[in-house]
């Protein structure tokens, strides 16, 4: 096995162009099947995963406790290792199930017959009903979406339905009255809504065909590397729904963790839950995962409130004391704030405490000497920078996890909200690498 020093050197030799992902192909890794918020650039992670996998024993296993659109899992599959991911957002589960599934060419025929069946639909009955549906969808859009969703439900192939639901989710994103420029739900101005002429069916056909192409291309990359046997990936794949703060549901022990956690609580940073709220209205939970045990559609904010940092802590002072003891950077950030600012910044402490618990849960699922790769960005609170990178290093240090190196990258391709609560340095991201 190479020494930690050799690994550090090899990681530090990765070029800035590779880290910035300037030369990456946007269609790679089926990245375009849906525009999930704050997706990683797979080629960036690829360079790191490649270096680390080569220094791990055979049968390496990777876990991502904040899986999102599963860019990490799919990247790792190219290196023939076991992969496992978890997320609290049901839409992330669905996307990840589709991206990690190996579809056969049969999907082309299935999709064409589905299109024929949709084109023969005549019923104008709505297939989804929820509060304010007329605010978020024009009536003719509702009719077409319902015709598509009824046709999907008629298929008896669960993994084909999952593919179609992800396609429909992207169609919903593009045809609802919600603005696509932010992840928070904001309705477009009425004149603009009236002006827009949209056909969900046309979008569905176009996006579906492109996604099939991307998924089959991904499969051929794996095939060329000898990683597909009997139309299945040769190693284990786990895609689990669950709150990583409560624990990781994975049944295995892993020797590599690669993740990008949220930047802060979902409600004030990236609202993954709000982004998913409208698509999830149309998709039956029974087609996603039957372990999902919360009423994620009760209000727009439910998923974000249940995510990291989303809930108030009853034992706030205890949390503060314990976190400040672990991170002097967090303490000094707080010491500089006045009373009113401190009140606003309490969410940072609650978020970081949740993150700290998730780190402990993750360490429980890692073998000794496992590598951990965390991509983090700094955010602003009260116009002051929260140095998530330094804080994470201090939290890891308090758990005796050794820091190997940090790599820096410019954010070029990641979609970020246009709101101003990100730090200027947010144009840079840090990739922190540790060893248990
Ligand atoms: C930055 S994204 C991950 C992006 C991912 N690496 C990708 O490339 O698509 C963070 C993810 O953390 C998830 N998340 C937030 N709180 C969580 C929790 N308590 N348990 C599990 N996942 C959570 C969000 O739903 C979101 O999908």
């Amino acid at each position: 096995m190479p020494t930690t020093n050799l690994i550090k050197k090899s990681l530090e030799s990765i070029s800035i162009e590779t880290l910035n992902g300037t030369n990456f192909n946007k269609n790679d890794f089926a990245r375009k099947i849906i525009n999930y918020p704050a997706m990683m650039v797979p080629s960036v992670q690829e360079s790191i995963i490649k270096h680390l996998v080569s220094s791990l024993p055979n049968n390496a296993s990777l876990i991502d406790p904040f899986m999102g659109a599963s860019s990490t899992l799919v990247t790792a599959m190219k290196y023939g290792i076991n992969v496992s991911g978890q997320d609290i957002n049901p839409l992330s589960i669905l996307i990840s199930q589709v991206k990690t599934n190996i579809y056969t060419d049969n999907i082309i025929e299935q999709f064409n017959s589905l299109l024929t069946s949709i084109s023969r639909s005549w019923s104008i009955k709505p297939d989804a009903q929820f509060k304010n549906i007329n605010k978020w969808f024009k009536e003719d859009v509702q009719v077409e979406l319902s015709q598509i969703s009824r046709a999907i439900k008629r298929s008896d192939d669960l993994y084909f339905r999952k593919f179609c639901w992800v396609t429909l989710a992207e169609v919903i994103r593009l045809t609802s009255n919600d603005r696509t420029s932010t992840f928070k739900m904001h309705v477009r101005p009425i004149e603009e809504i009236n002006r827009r002429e949209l056909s969900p069916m046309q979008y569905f056909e176009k996006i579906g065909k492109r996604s099939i192409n991307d998924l089959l291309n991904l499969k051929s990359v794996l095939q060329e590397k000898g990683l597909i046997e009997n139309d299945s990936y040769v190693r284990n794949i786990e895609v689990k729904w669950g709150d990583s703060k409560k624990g990781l549901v994975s049944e295995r022990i892993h020797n590599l963790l690669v993740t990008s956690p949220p930047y802060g609580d979902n409600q004030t940073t990236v609202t993954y839950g709000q982004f998913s709220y409208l698509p999830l209205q149309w998709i039956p939970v029974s087609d996603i995962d039957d372990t999902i045990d919360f009423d994620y559609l009760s209000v727009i904010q439910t998923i974000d409130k249940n995510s990291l940092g989303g809930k108030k802590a009853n034992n706030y002072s205890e949390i503060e004391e314990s976190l400040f003891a672990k991170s002097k950077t967090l303490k000094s950030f707080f010491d500089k704030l006045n009373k009113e600012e401190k009140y606003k910044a309490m969410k940072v402490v609650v978020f970081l405490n949740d993150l700290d618990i998730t780190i402990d849960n993750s360490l429980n699922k890692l073998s000794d000497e496992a590598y951990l790769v965390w991509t983090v960005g700094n955010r602003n609170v009260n116009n002051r920078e929260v140095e998530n990178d330094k804080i994470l290093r201090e939290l890891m240090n308090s758990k005796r996890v050794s820091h190997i190196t940090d790599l820096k990258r410019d954010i070029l391709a990641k979609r970020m909200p246009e709101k101003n609560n990100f730090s200027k340095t947010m144009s840079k991201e840090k990739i922190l690498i540790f060893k248990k």
Side-chain angles (χ1 to χ4, degrees), residues 258-283:
V258 179
T259 198
S260 55
Y263 305 101
D265 68 286
N266 283 6
Q267 293 189 73
T268 54
T269 58
V270 180
T271 51
Y272 301 94
Q274 286 199 40
F275 167 86
S276 314
Y277 178 78
L278 293 176
L280 287 172
Q281 293 288 352
W282 300 80
I283 306 171

Side-chain angles (χ1 to χ4, degrees), residues 25-265:
N25 175 351
K26 282 197 180 136
N27 296 337
D28 261 7
F29 305 88
R31 190 171 186 271
K32 260 178 48 187
I33 68 167
I34 191 165
N35 231 317
Y36 194 74
M39 271 193 285
M40 294 293 292
V41 178
S43 60
V44 175
Q45 289 171 306
E46 181 168 2
S47 56
I48 297 167
I49 290 175
K50 190 159 106 187
H51 275 91
L52 291 176
V53 167
S54 65
S55 59
L56 288 172
N58 277 344
N59 214 17
S61 189
L62 170 146
I63 187 160
D64 182 351
F66 302 106
M67 171 176 60
S70 64
S71 317
T72 309
L73 266 60
V74 177
T75 311
M77 282 169 72
K78 273 180 78 176
Y79 291 88
I81 66 174
N82 300 302
V83 294
S84 174
Q86 178 166 322
D87 205 286
I88 196 160
N89 184 351
L91 188 61
S92 146
I93 304 304
L94 191 62
I95 300 167
S96 306
Q97 287 166 337
V98 169
K99 277 203 195 167
T100 58
N101 186 50
I102 307 300
Y103 286 93
T104 65
D105 288 352
N106 191 24
I107 192 174
I108 302 172
E109 221 169 278
Q110 281 178 300
F111 193 68
N112 285 334
S113 352
L114 182 85
L115 293 176
T116 311
S117 145
I118 297 169
S119 66
R120 291 191 186 135
S121 314
W122 49 267
S123 168
I124 54 161
K125 228 172 75 200
D127 199 42
Q129 257 159 353
F130 55 96
K131 200 173 155 208
N132 291 333
I133 186 170
N134 294 328
K135 170 178 170 187
W136 297 110
F137 295 95
K138 287 169 87 164
E139 253 172 61
D140 52 339
V141 169
Q142 286 178 43
V143 168
E144 283 195 25
L145 291 176
S146 298
Q147 290 173 337
I148 301 171
S149 68
R150 261 194 301 273
I152 298 174
K153 285 177 187 161
R154 285 197 290 270
S155 162
D156 54 12
D157 177 342
L158 176 63
Y159 269 81
F160 176 64
R161 291 203 301 276
K162 285 180 190 290
F163 166 78
C164 294
W165 292 131
V166 172
T167 307
L168 187 69
E170 181 66 353
V171 174
I172 289 173
R173 185 180 81 79
L174 297 168
T175 60
S176 77
N177 298 335
D178 186 19
R179 289 196 302 216
T180 45
S181 54
T182 60
F183 302 126
K184 274 203 174 121
M185 289 176 67
H186 284 298
V187 74
R188 291 169 192 261
I190 188 73
E191 314 77 59
E192 192 185 322
I193 294 176
N194 291 338
R195 228 181 14 245
R196 287 174 93 215
E197 283 193 27
L198 303 155
S199 166
M201 284 188 193
Q202 280 174 14
Y203 275 105
F204 187 75
E205 176 170 357
K206 187 169 152 228
I207 295 166
K209 287 185 172 164
R210 186 185 68 199
S211 300
I212 289 176
N213 204 23
D214 290 352
L215 288 167
L216 294 178
N217 277 343
L218 176 62
K219 178 184 173 184
S220 60
V221 171
L222 300 177
Q223 238 156 0
E224 271 165 33
K225 291 175 176 266
L227 298 169
I228 305 283
E229 274 171 21
N230 303 325
D231 285 322
S232 298
Y233 179 58
V234 290
R235 300 269 184 245
N236 260 304
I237 300 173
E238 280 183 332
V239 169
K240 301 276 190 186
W241 173 79
D243 179 351
S244 299
K245 186 193 162 191
K246 290 189 184 150
L248 298 196
V249 203
S250 170
E251 282 145 27
R252 301 199 308 267
I253 293 294
H254 308 269
N255 45 15
L256 178 58
L257 176 147
V258 179
T259 198
S260 55
Y263 305 101
D265 68 286

Side-chain angles (χ1 to χ4, degrees), residues 272-319:
Y272 301 94
Q274 286 199 40
F275 167 86
S276 314
Y277 178 78
L278 293 176
L280 287 172
Q281 293 288 352
W282 300 80
I283 306 171
V285 59
S286 53
D287 269 8
I288 306 179
D289 185 326
D290 52 20
T291 63
I292 298 176
D293 73 353
F294 77 126
D295 182 9
Y296 54 85
L297 293 176
S298 63
V299 287
I300 290 176
Q301 294 81 5
T302 308
I303 297 177
D304 294 319
K305 274 195 179 149
N306 280 277
S307 300
L308 236 52
K311 287 191 179 142
K312 283 198 181 121
N314 298 330
N315 53 343
Y316 180 80
S317 4
E318 262 170 57
I319 288 177

